[in-house]
Amino acid sequence: MLALSDEILMSVDKPARYIGNEINSVVKDKDKVDIRIGMCFPDVYEIGMSHLGLQILYSMFNSYDDVWCERVFSPWTDLDPIMRKQSIPLFGLESQEPVKNMDFLAITIQYEMCYTNILQVLELSKIPFNACDRAEDDPIVVGGGPCTYNPEPIAQFFDFFYIGEGETKYRDIFDLYKKHKAEGTSRRDFLIEVAKLGGMYVPSLYDVSYNDDGTIKSFTANVPGIPTHIEKEIVKDLSNTHYPDAPVVPFIKVTQDRVVLEIQRGCIRGCRFCQAGQLYRPVRERDVEWLKKQAIKMLAATGHEEISLSSLSSSDYSELEELVNFLIAECRRRSINISLPSLRIDNFSVDVMGKVQDVKKSSLTFAPEAGTQRMRNVINKGLTEEDILNGARLAFANGWTRVKLYFMLGLPGETKEDIEGIGILADKIAREFFDTVPKEERKNGPVQIVASTSFFIPKPFTPFQWAPQATKEDFIEKAYICRSSVMAQLNQKRIKYNWHETDVSVLEGIMARGDRRLAPAILEAYKKGCLYDAWSDTYRHDLWLEAFDECGIDIPFYTTRERDLDEIFPWDFLDCGVSKEYLKKEWLRSKEGVVTPNCEQNCNGCGAAKFGVGICFNRK
Amino acid sequence: MKVRIKFSKHGPVKYIGHLDILRYFQKSMRRAEVDIAYSTGFSPHQIMSFAQPLGVGMESDGDYLDIELKTHNGAKDLIDRLNSVMVPGMRIENAVELPDGVKNAMASIAAASYTVTLKNGQDYPEEVVSKWDEFIASKSIIITKETKKNTLEVDLKPHIYEASLKNDIFECLVDASSAGNIKSTQILEALYNYAGIEFNKIDFQVTRIDTFTNEGTEEKPKLIPLDAMGVTF
Ligand code: SF4
């Protein structure tokens, strides 16, 4: 029995989003499990199903006999009004039963622009928005994912947040829940016990007070015996943890329509703008033999025609050559494609890419992030102009003609020269092509360069958490300078320049470093009709501005304000391993343009060594 | 070796469109470890072609696809392997070897049979059933088709090979060739118009029963199911 009628399914786009029934989806007898959990990605099915973390937890939860985990996604904008009008409750794809019948609703929060979708999921599930209004029989709403490293703007909508990697503590939570059910204790009592597990943040158990200038004065627990310092959960041995042998295979084409092999977690690089690079420290590699076995198992169980490696910086994986050579041989035998994103361009990668891609159709990707060496030192991006030009020369000599370049605008201390450096660098790459490839050998056509810029948004737990975000007007001016610099180049016809929307960067900036006082504005924006804010077609900046205005939110306080070195941040009670002292040191070093070596070269004492694993102890 | 596979599709999978069914079968071949032949090049694809796309919402007892195998262990093994990796509602019904020179499924199609029932499980309205004999005996059944540029008049009658309407079920065998393909619901719509009753396509569940090729001549057709063109292996 499907939750939606035939009439509805025949009237909406891609009805396969709502019917479940996919290969490797798990259906259990609901009377034979103790705990039912909805695993939700608050965006459309194709995005949610592409997320590795969701597949890992789905598979891990369902490996427990007493638990049935189902998937829950945001209904698309065509179905949403129908469900409201006909009062159809949001349902899990597997049972097609209301989310409300479940014990837990676990929401993965991957980007700030999904906050209104979280409210949509709650409302359509008929679960009260605010945790304090929920009854004993409402599902416990849990949040996880990178945005929980500053959960404050959405804190009141969640019963608790799971801070860190999901593999470690859910079993304990489930056992605690079973005990709580058996003993008939209250929801609040259960949450207090959860808070004591470590790694768990129960917002209702803490109070925040503010100074006159709007900054935070204190963050305190309002019940005894719970921690005011919450350390993230971390998997100690990544070759000995749960990984999905048989991920769910969607019927419709999703963004990641392939087997995804996570080769390591964390990143040694320490780029100062990058939140992921700090949150997932220290780097932990997976054993190459384990990865080989896992790859074969997953290909066999899914039938996918492509496999992709996943990590923040694949080139830093110590056994990359061994793994890639194995995959090339296996995949050739099985007629499977390999996709290798984010490889540093060197002899090895050019050779490998030549084997797995069509040189004519594929492009080289560089992410210098900034246009001048000065600025790259400020952001600690250890990629030099020489690296880029050498890599490009090598690839051009091997037939490549397409180049993609990624930059950021609005970085702290950025000057006009830094921005103009983007056009100049793109032109140098074009010149490199014409110097390297003689006219008669340009059988794949002339070089084509695409330079893209995004706007920099300071994020918590980075050295730039103190930095002011550029204003919208600055962003526009910077993009204009960048475009002019591209146009002024000798090879400007070979260079295409793209830039991102500015409005949405402002909203992302507010949420990223926001506090508890934003929640009413998020609710208000949602009520006005904001939904799917991550999609440019549906993003309504005007409604967001109205909501902020009505709720008395001072936008510059959150975005363009430079934070005092001693300010208490809304996320300070969380601990991702990297200490605030270390970040402060890095912020000051960035102002001087001093580069910090990566973890492979030298330990800089960031604090993450306290977890006792990874690169901090196994330097090659 | 060229092999023709007959499959059925029922239940929630009826909402999966044709292109996704194609992707579904490609992945199924891999999961079942069928030794299928691939094209060459950087992104090799399986040599696979379908007889006729089935519209979203339709069910089927008799759809076909052709594949090319490098090695095999007989038809039964192929059918069992594939059925062990199907989702509920999808089933492999048959597999036959195609002799050399047999046209592919798409080019072979001449006709298809369908049943149409009301989704709410009720009988066809009395006014419609009572008009059936008169309607189907008429010399021509003209419908108008909207195209991008203008409206076309089409006579369905020559494309209807067999048709019957009982109280709860409409059955027909109609032209499915690329030149004269018609839909079962077009006949029903014409009938409802004839009876003066409003027609709503969404109310009807269409099931394809089988797909046929013409082994006879145009004048003396002899329709056989697409899997009768091959031999068991
Ligand atoms: S403690 Fe040292 S090696 Fe470990 S992550 Fe931090 S900087 Fe890198």
Side-chain angles (χ1 to χ4, degrees):
Chain A
M1 218 11 219
L2 296 177
L4 300 172
S5 69
D6 185 79
E7 195 175 352
I8 294 173
L9 286 166
M10 290 302 288
S11 70
V12 298
D13 192 28
K14 301 190 187 160
R17 286 166 173 164
Y18 312 110
I19 61 171
N21 208 35
E22 306 95 321
I23 285 289
N24 300 332
S25 60
V26 179
V27 175
K28 294 190 180 183
D29 181 346
K30 65 177 175 186
D31 297 323
K32 293 202 175 119
V33 295
D34 299 321
I35 294 172
R36 294 182 63 183
I37 177 165
M39 181 76 223
C40 170
F41 193 112
D43 204 317
V44 75
Y45 177 91
E46 297 92 301
I47 302 292
M49 281 306 294
S50 302
H51 185 247
L52 176 64
L54 181 132
Q55 295 263 17
I56 293 177
L57 290 183
Y58 178 81
S59 157
M60 185 179 89
F61 293 161
N62 281 320
S63 75
Y64 305 146
D65 285 340
D66 55 345
V67 177
W68 183 14
C69 176
E70 308 186 39
R71 292 159 298 145
V72 177
F73 299 104
S74 277
W76 187 240
T77 52
D78 54 353
L79 178 61
D80 174 286
I82 298 174
M83 292 180 75
R84 284 169 202 275
K85 206 163 148 218
Q86 304 190 19
S87 194
I88 301 170
L90 187 60
F91 50 92
L93 292 187
E94 283 72 4
S95 67
Q96 297 278 312
E97 278 186 22
V99 171
K100 183 117 184 177
N101 297 356
M102 302 180 189
D103 301 282
F104 290 91
L105 173 62
I107 304 177
T108 176
I109 317 166
Q110 295 292 318
Y111 30 84
E112 291 83 359
M113 310 312 290
C114 75
Y115 291 172
T116 54
N117 283 66
I118 294 174
L119 298 180
Q120 176 211 31
V121 166
L122 291 174
E123 188 172 31
L124 292 179
S125 300
K126 303 185 195 291
I127 298 171
F129 291 126
N130 294 314
C132 62
D133 298 329
R134 287 178 198 144
E136 289 294 328
D137 62 348
D138 279 314
I140 306 272
V141 181
V142 194
C147 290
T148 62
Y149 284 94
N150 179 20
E152 290 298 74
I154 46 173
Q156 71 186 46
F157 310 132
F158 284 82
D159 291 297
F160 74 93
F161 292 97
Y162 182 122
I163 311 296
E165 296 172 352
E167 288 98 335
T168 57
K169 279 268 171 74
Y170 271 108
R171 188 63 254 181
D172 295 348
I173 295 169
F174 293 150
D175 290 339
L176 206 56
Y177 183 79
K178 279 166 76 168
K179 189 165 154 262
H180 143 76
K181 280 274 133 165
E183 292 171 0
T185 46
S186 72
R187 187 182 184 97
R188 185 178 155 84
D189 288 339
F190 168 67
L191 290 172
I192 291 173
E193 290 309 308
V194 167
K196 292 178 186 163
L197 283 177
M200 305 300 140
Y201 170 45
V202 182
S204 61
L205 306 182
Y206 300 86
D207 295 323
V208 183
S209 69
Y210 300 91
N211 296 311
D212 290 343
D213 65 1
T215 57
I216 290 174
K217 189 170 173 190
S218 69
F219 177 91
T220 47
N222 58 31
V223 293
I226 60 162
T228 48
H229 172 104
I230 300 169
E231 197 174 88
K232 77 170 176 191
E233 284 300 307
I234 181 168
V235 175
K236 301 257 157 102
D237 179 2
L238 277 173
S239 310
N240 206 344
T241 181
H242 193 89
Y243 204 77
D245 292 345
V248 178
V249 183
F251 288 113
I252 54 176
K253 200 164 169 60
V254 299
T255 318
Q256 282 276 10
D257 181 33
R258 52 185 73 88
V259 165
V260 179
L261 199 58
E262 189 195 36
I263 58 177
Q264 59 187 355
R265 263 182 215 171
C267 179
I268 57 169
R269 300 268 145 193
C271 298
R272 291 177 180 133
F273 56 85
C274 177
Q275 190 187 33
Q278 307 293 337
L279 293 185
Y280 306 124
R281 282 185 171 215
V283 171
R284 289 144 294 149
E285 296 194 338
R286 283 193 150 118
D287 174 59
V288 68
E289 294 306 321
W290 184 88
L291 288 171
K292 288 179 189 172
K293 272 192 218 121
Q294 202 59 40
I296 300 300
K297 266 193 231 166
M298 292 167 85
L299 286 170
T302 58
H304 279 312
E305 39 282 288
E306 189 166 306
I307 184 166
S308 167
L309 302 185
S310 158
S311 85
L312 291 168
S313 169
S314 298
S315 294
D316 294 327
Y317 178 61
S318 61
E319 307 270 13
L320 187 71
E321 263 191 73
E322 166 84 24
L323 180 64
V324 168
N325 287 333
F326 168 83
L327 288 177
I328 289 176
E330 272 301 311
C331 293
R332 186 162 293 164
R333 206 162 65 70
R334 296 159 185 256
S335 298
I336 281 162
N337 300 322
I338 308 177
S339 105
L340 299 168
S342 78
L343 282 194
R344 201 180 312 130
I345 311 296
D346 56 19
N347 280 316
F348 168 70
S349 61
V350 166
D351 176 50
V352 162
M353 291 190 316
K355 284 182 190 154
V356 305
Q357 303 171 339
D358 186 347
V359 172
K360 280 198 281 297
K361 288 188 198 136
S362 60
S363 37
L364 298 173
T365 304
F366 295 100
E369 306 293 0
T372 58
Q373 195 56 48
R374 186 198 78 81
M375 196 71 230
R376 285 193 292 274
N377 290 348
V378 169
I379 61 176
N380 205 41
K381 182 85 200 181
L383 184 68
T384 64
E385 184 170 304
E386 216 189 314
D387 294 337
I388 297 169
L389 294 181
N390 285 344
R393 190 179 318 121
L394 195 64
F396 291 150
N398 284 281
W400 270 272
T401 56
R402 293 169 198 237
V403 182
K404 282 191 199 153
L405 300 173
Y406 292 99
F407 298 96
M408 277 184 297
L409 291 177
L411 290 162
E414 185 177 68
T415 65
K416 192 158 174 260
E417 287 70 46
D418 294 322
I419 302 173
E420 287 170 345
I422 293 173
I424 295 168
L425 180 60
D427 191 63
K428 281 189 184 156
I429 295 171
R431 289 173 193 229
E432 198 64 48
F433 175 85
F434 293 113
D435 291 348
T436 311
V437 190
K439 227 187 189 123
E440 58 283 4
E441 281 172 30
R442 292 173 200 162
K443 55 183 189 321
N444 294 344
V447 65
Q448 300 175 54
I449 298 170
V450 180
S452 304
T453 59
S454 60
F455 295 115
F456 169 65
I457 299 161
K459 292 278 166 100
F461 291 106
T462 66
F464 291 162
Q465 61 181 350
W466 285 274
Q469 181 174 333
T471 63
K472 182 180 163 180
E473 293 68 33
D474 286 344
F475 278 150
I476 294 169
E477 195 193 325
K478 284 166 189 289
Y480 183 75
I481 296 172
C482 188
R483 196 183 62 164
S484 310
S485 88
V486 169
M487 305 278 274
Q489 302 305 318
L490 179 68
N491 296 299
Q492 51 119 332
K493 287 218 173 72
R494 313 289 351 134
I495 311 168
K496 191 171 176 291
Y497 173 55
N498 294 326
W499 69 92
H500 276 227
E501 292 282 327
T502 50
D503 285 342
V504 79
S505 305
V506 174
L507 181 63
E508 194 182 328
I510 298 170
M511 296 303 162
R513 292 187 293 171
D515 55 35
R516 288 187 170 190
R517 292 167 297 184
L518 293 178
I522 299 171
L523 198 52
E524 192 54 39
Y526 170 71
K527 286 186 175 154
K528 286 176 185 295
C530 291
L531 191 63
Y532 283 104
D533 298 312
W535 296 70
S536 55
D537 288 353
T538 39
Y539 179 62
R540 291 288 306 274
H541 195 61
D542 54 334
L543 296 182
W544 271 106
L545 290 183
E546 264 179 50
F548 286 132
D549 191 47
E550 285 165 27
C551 297
I553 300 295
D554 174 25
I555 295 176
F557 175 81
Y558 294 99
T559 53
T560 53
R561 180 172 66 93
E562 173 152 1
R563 269 77 166 165
D564 200 79
L565 269 185
D566 302 322
E567 180 170 335
I568 299 176
F569 293 137
W571 52 91
D572 274 356
F573 67 97
L574 296 176
D575 178 358
C576 74
V578 179
S579 71
K580 195 170 181 183
E581 275 318 302
Y582 176 78
L583 294 173
K584 207 178 278 178
K585 218 167 66 195
E586 278 291 286
W587 169 227
L588 298 175
R589 280 167 81 93
S590 87
K591 289 191 168 190
E592 324 246 278
V594 184
V595 173
T596 299
N598 68 47
C599 304
E600 185 62 58
Q601 297 163 320
N602 180 17
C603 172
N604 305 288
C606 76
K610 70 173 167 188
F611 298 117
V613 289
I615 184 93
C616 324
F617 300 89
N618 303 315
R619 203 156 286 103
K620 283 153 238 160
Chain B
M1 180 175 94
K2 284 201 171 65
V3 169
R4 179 158 298 163
I5 289 172
K6 179 183 183 181
F7 67 95
S8 57
K9 184 185 181 198
H10 292 282
V13 283
K14 74 178 182 179
Y15 299 107
I16 315 296
H18 175 64
L19 285 178
D20 293 324
I21 287 293
L22 173 83
R23 286 166 14 88
Y24 166 81
F25 270 106
Q26 289 170 343
K27 293 183 199 278
S28 300
M29 295 292 162
R30 286 203 161 90
R31 285 195 303 272
E33 295 181 21
V34 172
D35 193 13
I36 192 170
Y38 284 83
S39 69
T40 48
F42 262 104
S43 317
H45 57 266
Q46 298 174 355
I47 298 178
M48 180 186 286
S49 67
F50 283 72
Q52 197 177 46
L54 194 67
V56 173
M58 283 167 76
E59 302 198 3
S60 178
D61 287 337
D63 264 47
Y64 294 89
L65 67 134
D66 292 350
I67 56 173
E68 206 169 310
L69 293 183
K70 290 196 282 189
T71 62
H72 66 84
N73 280 316
K76 187 179 178 304
D77 173 70
L78 177 66
I79 295 169
D80 290 348
R81 268 167 189 275
L82 283 170
N83 274 334
S84 72
V85 301
M86 291 288 117
V87 292
M90 293 290 289
R91 241 188 83 81
I92 306 301
E93 304 290 348
N94 195 11
V96 293
E97 178 179 356
L98 293 179
D100 282 345
V102 167
K103 280 191 286 184
N104 72 27
M106 199 196 290
S108 304
I109 282 203
S113 55
Y114 298 93
T115 62
V116 187
T117 54
L118 276 153
K119 281 177 186 164
N120 61 16
Q122 290 180 358
D123 283 356
Y124 280 93
E126 173 57 38
E127 305 91 304
V128 169
V129 177
S130 64
K131 286 279 183 205
W132 170 254
D133 288 341
E134 195 181 306
F135 168 78
I136 199 66
S138 37
K139 270 213 180 67
S140 58
I141 300 172
I142 307 292
I143 60 158
T144 53
K145 248 186 168 167
E146 305 269 345
T147 68
K148 268 178 224 135
K149 287 200 197 105
N150 45 19
T151 51
L152 266 179
E153 290 208 331
V154 179
D155 184 3
L156 297 179
K157 193 66 202 288
H159 303 287
I160 305 173
Y161 303 145
E162 285 167 23
S164 72
L165 180 67
K166 303 207 185 72
N167 285 338
D168 58 347
I169 190 163
F170 171 68
E171 294 177 285
C172 64
L173 174 68
V174 298
D175 192 342
S177 66
S178 54
N181 180 30
I182 66 163
K183 291 181 181 142
S184 53
T185 45
Q186 288 173 321
I187 306 174
L188 278 179
E189 183 166 10
L191 170 65
Y192 271 64
N193 287 343
Y194 186 77
I197 291 185
E198 200 194 327
F199 179 82
N200 244 328
K201 211 174 148 194
I202 183 83
D203 297 340
F204 299 87
Q205 179 60 52
V206 182
T207 304
R208 181 135 77 202
I209 302 301
D210 212 339
T211 318
F212 303 86
T213 192
N214 183 5
E215 265 214 328
T217 60
E218 203 147 321
E219 295 75 38
K220 278 195 89 186
K222 183 182 170 225
L223 297 176
I224 58 163
L226 284 184
D227 55 345
M229 295 169 77
V231 292
T232 187
F233 64 101

